[in-house]
Amino acid sequence: MRRVRRSSAGAVRLELTPLIDVIFLLLTFFIFALVLMVRADVLGITLPELGTGTPAERAPAVEIAIDQSGVVRVAGETVELDAVGEAIDRALAEGDRGVRVAVDERAPSGVLVRVAEVLAQRGVASLDLVGRPAPARSAPIEPPPAGPVP
């Protein structure tokens, strides 16, 4: 018995090569998008764990970073401590934006106090401190008792 060979001229044929190309392009796009989501302005800073607070809203803000040696960066630009006020003025002049401060947990606290003082002099009413979430605890942290400190 002889087999009849059918012609595929009228049949719909699905080419897989273009579909595989599209899948690889999408995969490449998402990998690059994930890599670019890393916050470059706070790299190199070990953020302290914060057990309280809420996640920051995604709104434009002036980023101020203080690393462990006390170097201050305003909007990614390294500035001397004496010139922080001018750098903050330039960054805030771009529009009505909030202020986020990321401080390395080993940074000198005096630098943070001086930066906060400069912000207060510039009329910044509030600022957001950036930290990493603390691990979940079984019991809430109790506030210290009120009264005089011994």
Side-chain angles (χ1 to χ4, degrees):
M1 184 184 231
R2 205 168 165 190
R3 290 190 161 182
V4 177
R5 192 171 190 161
R6 294 185 184 184
S7 118
S8 61
V12 175
R13 186 174 168 159
L14 183 63
E15 292 291 331
L16 293 179
T17 305
L19 291 175
I20 293 172
D21 290 344
V22 168
I23 295 298
F24 279 120
L25 285 173
L26 286 172
L27 181 65
T28 305
F29 170 76
F30 286 118
I31 289 173
F32 282 126
L34 182 66
V35 168
L36 294 176
M37 289 172 64
V38 174
R39 302 266 316 255
D41 51 339
V42 289
L43 289 178
I45 294 178
T46 305
L47 295 173
E49 290 182 352
L50 302 174
T52 60
T54 58
E57 297 177 11
R58 292 208 176 259
V62 176
E63 301 282 344
I64 301 173
I66 303 171
D67 68 8
Q68 67 179 353
S69 60
V71 175
V72 179
R73 289 183 186 87
V74 177
E77 174 188 337
T78 303
V79 295
E80 294 294 324
L81 198 53
D82 298 334
V84 168
E86 292 80 20
I88 291 171
D89 286 340
R90 284 193 306 271
L92 289 175
E94 296 175 10
D96 187 22
R97 306 183 324 173
V99 176
R100 287 194 196 109
V101 180
V103 183
D104 192 295
E105 63 185 0
R106 298 165 298 210
S109 60
V111 176
L112 174 60
V113 171
R114 290 184 62 189
V115 168
E117 182 181 16
V118 169
L119 288 170
Q121 291 171 351
R122 299 296 194 262
V124 176
S126 66
L127 56 93
D128 295 327
L129 291 176
V130 179
R132 55 190 162 107
R137 300 192 173 134
S138 58
I141 299 174
E142 295 294 324
V149 178

